[in-house]
Amino acid sequence: MQNPKQPLYRPEIPANIEWHEIYQAVPFNGIINKDLAPNFTLKEAVEASFVTQEEKPHFTRIPIDPVLPKAAQIIRNALQRPIYLGSTFRSMEWEFYRKRPGTSRHTYGMAWDLNGEGLVDLIIDATNSKNELYKQLRQLGIGFIRIYKDEAGNFIHMDTRPQLSNGEIHVTYEKKNDEEIGWQKVDFWAGVAVFITIATTVWQVGKFIYKKVKKKWNTGGEQIEYTS
């Protein structure tokens, strides 16, 4: 069943979100390449957005929480290496197309995904130790960080949802979905079954050989020669 057509921009996007016009005025049609922060541009944010093919002609402005470029710059300064925008704004239709519920903070302009060499380890250290970088992000208004570090990729998601009741950032690690966990359980128990089958067979063969050897020793006292 196909999802009903959703507006490109949510009507309930918070008032503090800044709207950025994407294209230069006529006669130019290129993307406005203004700086959002010293190391991040509007063009990068637009290129990391995801909307459906049908929505692209209407995608003329992008909502961005002003906290996000500032937070990305703080992280960039701490890392002292380039980091890249993996995902910024995403439309609800795009989310539905990807079989997602459409409630992501990305659809509100409140979330960015970042990637880069050394970035994940930097954030893991910051969130575990609650060091100066962590304090700066918390003070700025980052409320949630999800860390992805597995075979699928290494990146972080950060957004500006409300912080925890104690004022800390809610930090999570991405886990495999239930389907993947289920297959892992199946593989585990299948392995156990194979092991039991092999062990039982070996035990039965050993028992048979033992009986044969014992019978020969008990009948006539014949010496048994073993060959290498």
Side-chain angles (χ1 to χ4, degrees), residues 184-198:
Q184 288 178 348
K185 289 179 179 177
V186 170
D187 290 342
F188 171 78
W189 288 113
V192 170
V194 170
F195 174 80
I196 293 173
T197 301
I198 294 173

Side-chain angles (χ1 to χ4, degrees), residues 169-225:
I169 299 172
H170 186 192
V171 180
T172 67
Y173 289 80
E174 175 64 9
K175 298 178 181 179
K176 293 182 181 297
N177 60 42
D178 292 338
E179 182 180 354
E180 290 173 323
I181 292 172
W183 276 110
Q184 288 178 348
K185 289 179 179 177
V186 170
D187 290 342
F188 171 78
W189 288 113
V192 170
V194 170
F195 174 80
I196 293 173
T197 301
I198 294 173
T200 301
T201 302
V202 170
W203 180 80
Q204 289 175 339
V205 171
K207 185 177 178 181
F208 175 80
I209 293 174
Y210 172 77
K211 287 182 178 179
K212 286 289 185 181
V213 170
K214 185 177 180 180
K215 184 176 180 180
K216 286 186 178 182
W217 275 101
N218 291 336
T219 57
E222 297 179 357
Q223 227 18 330
I224 301 177
E225 293 184 3

Side-chain angles (χ1 to χ4, degrees), residues 124-177:
I124 289 175
D125 178 64
T127 54
N128 285 341
S129 65
K130 291 184 170 52
N131 59 14
E132 186 60 30
L133 172 59
Y134 173 87
K135 292 175 182 177
Q136 289 180 320
L137 295 174
R138 183 185 63 186
Q139 182 67 29
L140 192 58
I142 295 298
F144 182 88
I145 293 175
R146 175 168 289 154
I147 299 169
Y148 296 79
K149 187 173 185 179
D150 55 30
E151 307 81 21
N154 297 295
F155 66 98
I156 69 161
H157 163 103
M158 65 176 183
D159 65 50
T160 56
R161 72 184 70 182
Q163 295 173 344
L164 296 173
S165 58
N166 61 1
E168 299 293 339
I169 299 172
H170 186 192
V171 180
T172 67
Y173 289 80
E174 175 64 9
K175 298 178 181 179
K176 293 182 181 297
N177 60 42

Side-chain angles (χ1 to χ4, degrees), residues 36 41-49 62 64 85 88-89 112:
L36 298 174
T41 67
L42 176 62
K43 184 176 181 179
E44 290 176 287
V46 171
E47 290 176 345
S49 298
I62 180 174
I64 300 174
L85 305 184
T88 54
F89 172 73
W112 277 9

